[in-house]
Amino acid sequence: MTNATTAIVERYGSDRTRLMDMLWDVQRDHGYLPQDALEDLASALSISANDVLETASFYHFFQTKPFGRHAIYLCDSVMGRNRGHASIRATLETETGTAFGSASALFGLDDTNCIGLSDQEPAMMVDDVVFTKLTPNRVRDIIKALKLGTPAEQIANPGGHARSSRSYVESMVDCNIHQDGPVFFKPGIDYRAVLESCLALTPDEVIVSVTESNIRGRGGAGFPTGLKWRLARDAAGAEKHIICNADEGEPGTFKDRVLLTASPMDVLLGMVISGFGVGSRSGIIYLRAEYWYLKDYLEAQLASMRADGLLGQNILGTDFSFDIRIQMGAGAYVCGDETALIESCEGKRGTPRVKPPFPIQTGYLGQPTVVNNVETFASVTRILEMGAGWFAALGTDASSGTRLLSVSGDCDRPGIYEIEWGTTLNDVLALVGATNPKAVQISGPSGECVSVAQDGARKLCHSDLACNGSFMIFDHSRDLLEVARQFTHFFVDESCGICTPCRAGGVAMLGKIDRVIAGRACQEDLDACQSWGQLMHRTSRCGLGTTAAKPILTTLQKFPELYAAKLQELGHGLRPSFDMEEAVSHYDEIVRAIETEAAQ
Amino acid sequence: MSVSLTIDGKAVTAEAGAPLIDVAADNGVYIPSLCYMRGKPCLGTCRVCSVKINGHVATACTVKVADGMHVSVSDPEVADMRKALVEANFSEGNHNCPSCEKSGRCELQAVGYELEIVVSRFTYQFPERSREDAAQYLFLERDRCIFCQRCVEFVRDAQTGQKIFSIRGRGTTAQIELDVDLANKMTPAEAARAADLCPVGAIIEKGLGYNDPMGQRKFDVKSLRERVLEGEQL
């Protein structure tokens, strides 16, 4: 075994559950994961090499073949495609002399799904940094500089800001906070005072406070946060864990990135409060690999919290101890599912677990675990600062507080907006300067496509449009069938493949929408979409599979005319998808081959 | 603790916490599955045991029986979902029963017969998949794999506890890998157990095939349904 691999394994205490970190370190040393390094890891951890590969091959950003000195991932999202992605892709191929999906000595190129920059597309990741609002000229400059040996980080951060600083993050990405509200991005919070007053309460009182605020989890499912904490507190287990889900993978959402940039302390303190309430000593932030550029900045925040006594042993001189580590993901949307995320934290493939048991009973390392969204933890800090009643008075009866919207697409001011629950769709569209909107994709591909004409008066709240924060606007020039196709493709791309309906159903639905777009579908195909969509929705194992048919089903519901215009009648009893020419073409070829052979 | 529930209208009592799929079988109700093995942890991958519980669709292998459950297995809507899921498995691989060594012993084929499947409603994908034939006693015929995970979860190297079968990749292109070195440490009996565990003809013992004539094969002698209802561990 090489010394380097030994050092990596020892860095993580030879703990197999830290395999993700080990793989990242190996990839950092070599630019990819060489087979012999995987075998070294396997033998050091007493698992088979294929078992290491089982984890490594699951994640998009782990490369098992050489991937050039610079790994370039261009974001291939609907928002990117609506902002000139195609010309950027072509320019990258020309300038690097490398095709997408392959690598040269200097460059590895690949597509990747939404990287959380929908308000500043086209965007790409290069090594650990990102470049936004790309133009072909900018791409030429970047590739030229890389060829001259300039590190990507230096190109992205010409001011030379320290990686641990907010200026470093903001040298690459804009926060674009266009409207703040009562809850988020408040300057001047006295975090020490908030935590002191929290620790003066009993853990039960903290949970009561969170419960009385009526806050629901901001990840999308809307589970009451107080109840989740209560269940975890009451669950049997010597150790308990608090996990912050910062795997912000839903296309079109980027508010967690902005919260972690502009108000990281709100989030981190919320985790500490949760740890105190639930009775946990250990917190994990699961940070998606697309946000590598935030890691050192967040580590610096954690270090300063420890220095200030807000984190670590005996917090604020009490007997409460709690610490937080950052777990990097490696490119898998399904890890946004809390049980897949836990599997990933344990160094495995991000396969959603069979439920029950739920994480509050059997979570990380088999122990009771609370998984909450970034925005939920940030809200908790404000709830403890301002009081449960203050928070509960915001929003609607069933949805208290405010919501951060990540607005992108066809409008004048894409970015972050804090709105109170109960705001109508039309109000938001006016606020962001959407002048010609036709449709809004609410909550990303896993949500629903709504029609502005039909749904403009509907309210964003748990009982009506339960929005997870993603708000993508499409004007009348956009092809919604193409959007539905791309979203369906996204789910096929991101399916873990473990259950039949999601794995096979996704491919089947993609085949149908391709057929519609090609003008070769008939009513029977749309009927099949409805029926197969229901099958996926009702029998899939996790949220990915249960929602993967929604891009097609919700556009079909709101814009049936778009589908109807593409349909064909059954002609001569044949389905329009049956291509007679193509079906018999091989026959002619074969006959010709036989005749040629006979003549020789 | 004993609980009372109904399965297709019939009142049933069972021990709380027992898997619904077992309780149904013990009470004469067959629920098909391709991944579940009685007595082993449920895998929840094939979803073929979907039933309605108080109107909601859930998989009978993952659900533990509880008091007051109303379970519907025969409901036509969910019965068609089960059939669709089996058809989906047929559409994803290359399943040619007449030439397959596992024919007559194959659970996918047997469930297909039970559900009276004639053709898949899904477009056949005709995937191109490679075969792993380097091991001494076993070969892995990926054309027939339905990705149930039985081999990944239940087969281990006797000495080290390491996985012999594992997954590579994700999604539609994910495939099962066989660790040839570990496979070659298996005894012929262990290899035979791994092949038996596979519900389809993806794990096959080398040098063995078509031993039993038609009419005398495993599921010819006694159907899959009868075996499940007798509580046999398949």
Side-chain angles (χ1 to χ4, degrees):
Chain A
M1 197 186 314
T2 65
N3 289 336
T5 312
T6 310
I8 288 170
V9 172
E10 284 173 359
R11 193 173 300 154
Y12 301 101
S14 303
D15 181 356
R16 189 245 180 272
T17 68
R18 300 298 297 276
L19 185 57
M20 293 288 285
D21 305 270
M22 297 177 197
L23 290 169
W24 269 122
D25 288 2
V26 170
Q27 182 152 302
R28 211 158 279 280
D29 286 352
H30 300 273
Y32 74 110
L33 302 170
Q35 180 63 27
D36 53 357
L38 294 183
E39 284 169 12
D40 285 350
L41 277 182
S43 88
L45 298 172
S46 301
I47 57 179
S48 70
N50 277 350
D51 209 352
V52 174
L53 189 63
E54 183 172 292
T55 295
S57 63
F58 184 80
Y59 297 92
H60 189 52
F61 300 128
F62 285 143
Q63 299 291 345
T64 51
K65 290 183 189 144
F67 200 59
R69 195 177 304 159
H70 300 290
I72 300 180
Y73 295 95
L74 176 63
C75 177
D76 183 9
S77 67
V78 167
M79 287 298 131
R81 287 193 179 201
N82 287 353
R83 288 281 182 281
H85 158 273
S87 66
I88 301 302
R89 197 174 193 274
T91 308
L92 275 169
E93 289 199 324
T94 310
E95 295 300 314
T96 61
T98 310
F100 267 80
S102 72
S104 55
L106 205 49
F107 298 106
L109 257 63
D110 207 351
D111 298 299
T112 196
N113 288 316
C114 184
I115 61 174
L117 292 164
S118 294
D119 58 338
Q120 39 211 303
E121 291 275 7
M124 66 178 179
M125 303 159 61
V126 182
D127 303 332
D128 287 349
V129 296
V130 290
F131 295 92
T132 62
K133 291 184 270 193
L134 292 169
T135 60
N137 278 337
R138 175 79 175 131
V139 169
R140 280 184 205 104
D141 290 344
I142 294 166
I143 299 300
K144 201 163 148 193
L146 289 171
K147 282 180 176 170
L148 289 170
T150 317
E153 185 181 322
Q154 195 178 319
I155 306 169
N157 172 32
H161 302 289
R163 278 193 207 177
S164 56
S165 68
R166 181 168 165 180
S167 325
Y168 174 81
V169 176
E170 291 189 319
S171 65
M172 294 175 229
V173 301
D174 298 324
C175 280
N176 285 333
I177 304 169
H178 291 301
Q179 175 174 289
D180 61 1
V183 179
F184 301 105
F185 310 117
K186 290 291 150 218
I189 297 176
D190 186 342
Y191 295 105
R192 171 177 288 268
V194 174
L195 193 55
E196 266 169 3
S197 66
C198 174
L199 297 188
L201 303 172
T202 65
D204 273 325
E205 286 168 337
V206 170
I207 294 183
V208 166
S209 191
V210 172
T211 305
E212 286 177 350
S213 77
N214 286 330
I215 183 175
R216 289 174 181 277
R218 295 306 203 239
F223 191 82
T225 305
L227 178 59
K228 186 181 273 189
W229 291 16
R230 162 69 55 205
L231 292 169
R233 175 161 186 83
D234 292 347
E239 291 279 326
K240 296 178 183 178
H241 304 275
I242 307 298
I243 299 182
C244 174
N245 185 346
D247 191 52
E248 186 173 39
E250 189 70 42
T253 175
F254 46 87
K255 45 109 186 155
D256 294 344
R257 159 178 63 81
V258 175
L259 272 174
L260 291 171
T261 305
S263 303
M265 282 296 292
D266 291 21
V267 180
L268 302 175
L269 203 79
M271 292 179 72
V272 178
I273 293 166
S274 176
F276 180 69
V278 170
S280 159
R281 297 167 54 91
S282 119
I284 298 175
I285 301 174
Y286 187 88
L287 186 65
R288 69 190 307 226
E290 289 83 346
Y291 294 168
W292 260 113
Y293 54 88
L294 284 170
K295 177 153 189 288
D296 286 355
Y297 172 61
L298 291 174
E299 293 282 13
Q301 304 291 320
L302 292 171
S304 87
M305 283 175 81
R306 286 185 201 107
D308 293 344
L310 304 179
L311 191 69
Q313 288 295 318
N314 301 109
I315 291 174
L316 293 177
T318 66
D319 57 4
F320 169 57
S321 300
F322 182 82
D323 213 333
I324 298 174
R325 75 170 173 93
I326 299 175
Q327 174 67 61
M328 295 308 297
Y333 165 78
V334 73
C335 287
D337 172 280
E338 58 182 7
T339 59
L341 183 153
I342 289 170
E343 288 283 299
S344 187
C345 285
E346 293 179 359
K348 293 181 278 188
R349 308 172 91 237
T351 303
R353 291 178 177 173
V354 170
K355 284 165 268 194
F358 293 95
I360 45 119
Q361 305 157 304
T362 306
Y364 178 60
L365 305 178
Q367 292 154 346
T369 302
V370 163
V371 184
N372 276 144
N373 180 263
V374 169
E375 189 179 335
T376 311
F377 284 120
S379 303
V380 160
T381 294
R382 291 284 286 161
I383 289 167
L384 268 291
E385 183 196 10
M386 303 296 290
W390 167 82
F391 191 86
L394 300 168
T396 68
D397 288 347
S399 311
S400 67
T402 62
R403 162 100 259 173
L404 285 182
L405 290 184
S406 311
V407 177
S408 62
D410 299 313
C411 65
D412 295 338
R413 292 175 297 277
I416 295 294
Y417 294 80
E418 180 175 348
I419 58 148
E420 262 190 66
W421 287 111
T423 308
T424 67
L425 191 67
N426 279 338
D427 289 342
V428 176
L429 290 168
L431 184 65
V432 305
T435 47
N436 185 29
K438 177 177 185 175
V440 180
Q441 185 76 26
I442 300 278
S443 301
S446 76
E448 54 184 312
C449 181
V450 298
S451 153
V452 174
Q454 294 168 44
D455 302 301
R458 288 177 66 185
K459 288 178 177 170
L460 297 172
C461 61
H462 189 71
S463 55
D464 191 2
L465 286 174
C467 183
N468 69 8
S470 179
F471 194 99
M472 293 186 269
I473 304 166
F474 299 96
D475 71 18
H476 283 83
S477 73
R478 304 299 180 187
D479 180 351
L480 293 180
L481 291 180
E482 192 53 45
V483 171
R485 198 202 81 85
Q486 285 180 50
F487 285 158
T488 306
H489 183 269
F490 165 79
F491 285 122
V492 171
D493 209 28
E494 294 292 348
S495 168
C496 80
I498 208 75
C499 81
T500 305
C502 177
R503 185 184 65 233
V507 172
M509 293 295 274
L510 191 58
K512 291 297 186 196
I513 188 94
D514 277 341
R515 193 177 278 184
V516 170
I517 289 170
R520 303 193 77 110
C522 58
Q523 185 57 41
E524 186 184 85
D525 293 298
L526 298 189
D527 296 343
C529 283
Q530 296 283 7
S531 149
W532 301 356
Q534 277 301 314
L535 180 73
M536 294 175 73
H537 176 58
R538 297 176 77 179
T539 67
S540 290
R541 172 153 155 169
C542 82
L544 192 158
T546 58
T547 56
K550 287 176 85 177
I552 292 175
L553 295 186
T554 62
T555 47
L556 192 51
Q557 186 193 355
K558 293 294 176 183
F559 302 97
E561 69 280 3
L562 298 178
Y563 286 84
K566 290 281 194 176
L567 293 192
Q568 303 255 326
E569 297 294 323
L570 288 176
H572 310 293
L574 293 178
R575 290 176 178 147
S577 55
F578 181 71
D579 185 338
M580 179 66 92
E581 298 270 314
E582 211 251 321
V584 300
S585 65
H586 304 295
Y587 176 81
D588 288 344
E589 269 171 43
I590 291 162
V591 167
R592 262 197 304 280
I594 292 168
E595 283 171 354
T596 315
E597 204 174 302
Q600 280 168 353
Chain B
M1 193 183 76
S2 172
V3 295
S4 302
L5 61 153
T6 67
I7 302 179
D8 283 342
K10 179 185 163 191
V12 163
T13 55
E15 201 56 30
L20 174 58
I21 192 168
D22 291 352
V23 172
D26 294 344
N27 287 278
V29 178
Y30 168 66
I31 303 174
S33 172
L34 296 172
C35 64
Y36 182 68
M37 299 181 81
R38 189 160 185 153
K40 289 194 187 288
C42 90
L43 300 168
T45 57
C46 78
R47 319 304 284 176
V48 168
C49 66
S50 291
V51 297
K52 280 190 184 174
I53 299 171
N54 300 339
H56 294 284
V57 176
T59 40
C61 69
T62 59
V63 169
K64 311 279 185 236
V65 290
D67 221 22
M69 269 183 178
H70 293 291
V71 180
S72 178
V73 181
S74 61
D75 172 273
E77 186 185 39
V78 77
D80 188 59
M81 286 182 175
R82 291 195 293 270
K83 193 172 179 180
L85 291 166
V86 179
E87 290 173 16
N89 274 291
F90 274 108
S91 75
E92 286 185 295
N94 299 308
H95 300 280
N96 301 304
C97 299
S99 61
C100 179
E101 299 89 335
K102 199 70 176 269
S103 191
R105 298 180 293 143
C106 169
E107 292 174 44
L108 178 64
Q109 182 190 42
V111 169
Y113 281 131
E114 286 294 342
L115 303 189
E116 299 181 336
I117 289 170
V118 178
V119 68
S120 178
R121 71 192 72 182
F122 301 95
T123 307
Y124 288 91
Q125 294 178 18
F126 300 114
E128 286 188 26
R129 296 178 181 168
S130 63
R131 177 183 307 143
E132 174 58 73
D133 56 9
Q136 191 181 353
Y137 300 120
L138 293 176
F139 68 85
L140 182 60
E141 181 59 272
R142 294 192 181 96
D143 272 342
R144 304 161 180 167
C145 179
I146 57 169
F147 216 58
C148 70
Q149 305 303 311
R150 282 184 186 177
C151 59
V152 174
E153 293 299 328
F154 302 144
V155 180
R156 289 289 184 275
D157 176 56
Q159 208 182 345
T160 62
Q162 295 184 356
K163 282 183 183 174
I164 298 176
F165 296 89
S166 62
I167 310 170
R168 181 191 184 117
R170 79 169 180 221
T172 53
T173 54
Q175 64 176 37
I176 301 296
E177 294 291 334
L178 173 63
D179 188 309
V180 173
D181 292 338
L182 291 178
N184 285 342
K185 285 168 60 191
M186 295 169 98
T187 63
E190 285 168 346
R193 270 203 296 281
D196 279 347
L197 184 94
C198 179
V200 291
I203 304 172
I204 292 287
E205 284 174 89
K206 284 186 172 173
L208 187 76
Y210 319 110
N211 287 33
D212 302 319
M214 281 198 193
Q216 293 174 32
R217 302 168 308 179
K218 181 177 179 182
F219 294 132
D220 298 335
V221 179
K222 190 186 278 184
S223 75
L224 176 64
R225 173 190 293 265
E226 289 170 298
R227 289 170 190 270
V228 168
L229 293 182
E230 286 175 11
E232 183 178 318
Q233 186 179 22
L234 294 163

